[in-house]
Amino acid sequence: MSAVVRRPVAFISAIVLVAEAVGVVIVNGVMATFVKNQDMSLAGTDPGVMANGAWVLGGISGVFLLLCGVLLLLTGVRDRAPGRIARVVLIGCAVIHGVLGALAVGLIGWTAFVSMMVVLGLIVLTLVAYGPGREEPATGADVEKPVAPASV
């Protein structure tokens, strides 16, 4: 895949993940506020604990998605493959999107499934575009050619 396509995909993926991070924090904040204000509980659990848990989950999820967005942004800016740890983090993010997409189709509907699969596809496309086998020799470097064995 050429650099003309690789870099925009990485940038678009980064923008989508940052927007998703903001959305996840907002949704969890709204859920925490409703739980706290309506004094709801689940099997006798303290509503304050549930509200705090929603805030913590939203914060952790938002930070993770923001980290993934920054990693994709750096990949696009540098036009280099992400390092080993960054690749593992992005693969984890892709797996989480796949699992959440599978759950979303049953719980929320096909629109949520499609949106999760679009994000999954963007992450995977970026990882594949910057995957192994795309390294070109540096300009001016001599490319080694195989030498035939000498006949005796």
Side-chain angles (χ1 to χ4, degrees):
M1 186 179 290
S2 71
V4 174
V5 176
R6 269 194 322 256
R7 294 182 90 176
V9 168
F11 290 136
I12 291 170
S13 301
I15 291 168
V16 167
L17 283 176
V18 169
E20 186 178 3
V22 171
V24 164
V25 171
I26 289 172
V27 166
N28 275 288
V30 168
M31 288 192 310
T33 304
F34 277 128
V35 167
K36 187 76 172 167
N37 290 340
Q38 303 240 341
D39 202 29
M40 293 186 247
S41 69
L42 180 64
T45 307
D46 181 30
V49 172
M50 290 179 56
N52 291 338
W55 276 113
V56 169
L57 178 65
I60 291 171
S61 300
V63 168
F64 177 71
L65 290 170
L66 193 61
L67 170 69
C68 293
V70 168
L71 291 174
L72 288 169
L73 181 66
L74 289 174
T75 299
V77 167
R78 294 177 183 164
D79 199 23
R80 273 191 355 217
R84 182 175 292 158
I85 294 174
R87 186 172 287 274
V88 169
V89 170
L90 291 173
I91 290 171
C93 186
V95 169
I96 289 170
H97 276 85
V99 171
L100 289 178
L103 291 172
V105 72
L107 297 174
I108 302 170
W110 287 102
T111 306
F113 172 76
V114 168
S115 67
M116 296 301 281
M117 293 303 108
V118 165
V119 176
L120 169 68
L122 286 170
I123 295 169
V124 170
L125 182 59
T126 303
L127 287 171
V128 169
Y130 284 101
R134 77 157 206 82
E135 290 85 12
E136 298 98 18
T139 47
D142 294 331
V143 179
E144 291 186 28
K145 296 180 183 175
V147 179
S151 303
V152 180

